[in-house]
Amino acid sequence: MSLFQRIRQAIVVGGMESFGTALGGIAGLLIVNFLPKEQYAAYTFLLACMALMSGIGELGLSHCVLPVVGRRAGEPRWVVGVCHEIFRWRWILLAFGMVIVVPYWLNASVKHGWLSPEYLAASAAAVVVALLTLRASYSYAILMLLRHISALNRASLAMHCSRFALVALVLLAPLDAWASMGLLLATAASQAVDIWLQQRAVKANGIAAWRLDAQERKVVHRETLRIALPLVPSAVFFQIQGVITVLIVSVFGTTDMMAEVGALGRLAMILVVLDRVTNMLLFPAIARSPGGPSFLRKLLLVNAAYLGAMLLIFLSSLALPHYWMLLLGPQYKAQEPYLWMAIGAYVLTSASGFAFRTLAGRGATTRQWITIPLVIAVQVAFVAGVGVGSLPQVLAFNLATSFTHFAFQYGLVLLRIPEWRTAR
């Protein structure tokens, strides 16, 4: 593919992703503005449980698909077979994740006095969303690797449009305490639309349900284990860290604090656009490319561009906090002084994820375990020295954690530069 074609593809995908993410962001902001704080706190908690459950069901396996497929991304049978083997493990781990998360969900729900028929129905809807999300991820991986980007764009756009319409309908309906359940069912319905359109694209492009033979499965299992096993401790740790702020608030904080943390998190939706575009276009190319000086120059250039975009987003939270906070409505106006900490943490987390996916795309997943004692040491020192009893303290805790992840992941990237410069 020529440079012009790549730029054109990036613009098209970026435009579609921007529009879809804008719809998703507007829907999220409508939820923040319309739901009472207590309901939004419970909704935020269920989203965190859903993310934790799905994360435990991943354990680094999502980072295995690209390097295992490698340069054979043009072979549909190989791509489908590899995805089938890896996602078969993910379904098993998702069930394990449910078993792990339920006791925590029950304890926090009882503590905050949320248990009610409406809340239990919303919790069941969250489980449905997690199941559908994994199913959508399977067909997404196949279509992405086989480079059917336009089909993914159409499916994503339809998903975002349907979710936006359904969320608006739920918020306008007099559902009262059942609103959280309605919102999660709206997400489930939009995921079903996404799956249906992706499956239609799979059939239209003649992609069959190919399976690998016994010898090929052994190769896939061996490579997957080689890449995934070093990631297991850090994958579990990262998934917990991804929702650590909500976990801390659910134990030490109040219902209002949980709603405030969730609301500030909605302002980071702009980062999803960049992540989705790079996941679809950049990292598959990184996995396929041979090493060498030319590859390294391009890799450093895209990392510099990404970090520059992250810096601009953070600076806007310092210079224009009032405009950011207008999006959340009057319920959260008092949290404006802390906006920069929330945005800073999300920027650093997104950048560290970018660095990690750069490493994983090349199969460079060793030494990830080192981050566990490092981050725990930072967190323990913060809790002992500062505490986590207020919203500013919780946000500062999250900022310190995110910076540690960022510094560590980019440290690993720098260590790999000599190897990538000479590789072929």
Side-chain angles (χ1 to χ4, degrees):
M1 184 180 291
S2 69
L3 178 60
F4 174 76
Q5 289 174 316
R6 289 191 181 279
I7 293 173
R8 180 177 175 275
Q9 190 179 50
I11 292 172
V12 171
V13 174
M16 294 286 284
E17 287 297 326
S18 297
F19 181 71
T21 302
L23 284 181
I26 293 170
L29 293 172
L30 287 174
I31 295 171
V32 172
N33 280 270
F34 277 83
L35 277 190
K37 261 191 174 182
E38 184 170 351
Q39 277 200 57
Y40 189 70
Y43 179 74
T44 297
F45 175 72
L46 289 177
L47 292 181
C49 287
M50 190 169 62
L52 186 59
M53 181 170 60
S54 299
I56 293 174
E58 191 266 316
L59 289 184
L61 289 174
S62 65
H63 300 292
C64 297
V65 177
L66 283 175
V68 172
V69 169
R71 299 182 189 178
R72 297 180 65 180
E75 302 175 29
R77 177 184 167 277
W78 175 251
V79 169
V80 173
V82 169
C83 288
H84 177 265
E85 293 302 314
I86 292 176
F87 274 84
R88 185 163 57 88
W89 291 355
R90 290 191 63 180
W91 279 108
I92 296 170
L93 289 173
L94 179 63
F96 179 70
M98 293 179 184
V99 174
I100 295 295
V101 171
V102 166
Y104 161 68
W105 164 85
L106 182 60
N107 179 68
S109 300
V110 170
K111 177 192 171 189
H112 290 279
W114 286 331
L115 288 181
S116 66
E118 302 91 339
Y119 178 77
L120 293 175
S123 300
V127 173
V128 173
V129 172
L131 295 172
L132 290 173
T133 299
L134 183 55
R135 180 63 186 85
S137 297
Y138 173 65
S139 49
Y140 174 91
I142 292 172
L143 290 170
M144 180 193 70
L145 287 165
L146 294 177
R147 304 176 75 174
H148 297 296
I149 305 301
S150 59
L152 288 174
N153 285 338
R154 289 191 295 270
S156 176
L157 181 61
M159 178 191 69
H160 286 299
C161 288
S162 60
R163 181 173 182 269
F164 179 82
L166 291 170
V167 164
L169 184 63
V170 168
L171 293 175
L172 291 173
L175 294 179
D176 299 324
W178 294 89
S180 292
M181 181 204 69
L183 291 170
L184 287 164
L185 287 179
T187 300
S190 64
Q191 287 281 20
V193 170
D194 189 27
I195 293 169
W196 175 66
L197 289 174
Q198 288 183 3
Q199 281 301 301
R200 195 171 71 169
V202 166
K203 292 178 182 177
N205 286 283
I207 303 171
W210 291 291
R211 299 292 179 263
L212 303 179
D213 60 37
Q215 185 59 39
E216 289 173 323
R217 288 198 300 273
K218 288 181 181 178
V219 172
V220 170
H221 294 170
R222 183 172 63 249
E223 277 299 291
T224 301
L225 288 173
R226 181 186 69 81
I227 297 168
L229 283 179
L231 290 176
V232 170
S234 56
V236 174
F237 183 68
F238 284 146
Q239 294 305 329
I240 295 173
Q241 291 296 309
V243 292
I244 188 67
T245 308
V246 174
L247 296 182
I248 287 175
V249 174
S250 70
V251 176
F252 299 105
T254 64
T255 299
D256 277 358
M257 281 177 61
M258 190 173 297
E260 290 156 3
V261 166
L264 289 170
R266 288 289 181 181
L267 297 178
M269 287 298 293
I270 185 66
L271 305 183
V272 178
V273 178
L274 293 174
D275 289 341
R276 290 272 295 180
V277 172
T278 55
N279 282 343
M280 294 176 74
L281 300 180
L282 177 62
F283 294 110
I286 288 176
R288 291 191 300 266
S289 298
S294 177
F295 163 76
L296 183 60
R297 283 193 299 272
K298 293 175 182 177
L299 190 65
L300 293 177
L301 180 62
V302 296
N303 273 266
Y306 187 89
L307 292 176
M310 294 295 101
L311 180 60
L312 288 176
I313 292 170
F314 174 67
L315 291 176
S316 72
S317 72
L318 290 173
L320 305 167
H322 177 66
Y323 293 101
W324 283 82
M325 296 304 295
L326 286 176
L327 300 172
L328 298 183
Q331 289 189 96
Y332 302 96
K333 183 174 177 56
Q335 280 68 58
E336 182 176 326
Y338 318 124
L339 171 69
W340 68 273
M341 287 192 287
I343 298 297
Y346 287 114
V347 161
L348 289 170
T349 298
S350 186
S352 64
F354 190 91
F356 175 76
R357 291 192 298 275
T358 299
L359 292 163
R362 303 298 293 181
T365 56
T366 57
R367 291 182 284 192
Q368 286 292 330
W369 66 270
I370 300 173
T371 193
I372 299 177
L374 179 63
V375 171
I376 289 176
V378 170
Q379 292 177 335
V380 169
F382 189 97
V383 172
V386 180
V388 287
S390 67
L391 179 64
Q393 288 174 331
V394 170
L395 293 175
F397 171 91
N398 197 31
L399 184 62
T401 299
S402 300
F403 179 79
T404 306
H405 284 301
F406 169 81
F408 179 78
Q409 293 300 332
Y410 267 100
L412 289 182
V413 170
L414 291 175
L415 288 175
R416 289 283 181 172
I417 285 178
E419 173 187 334
W420 291 340
R421 179 183 291 115
T422 57
R424 290 290 183 270

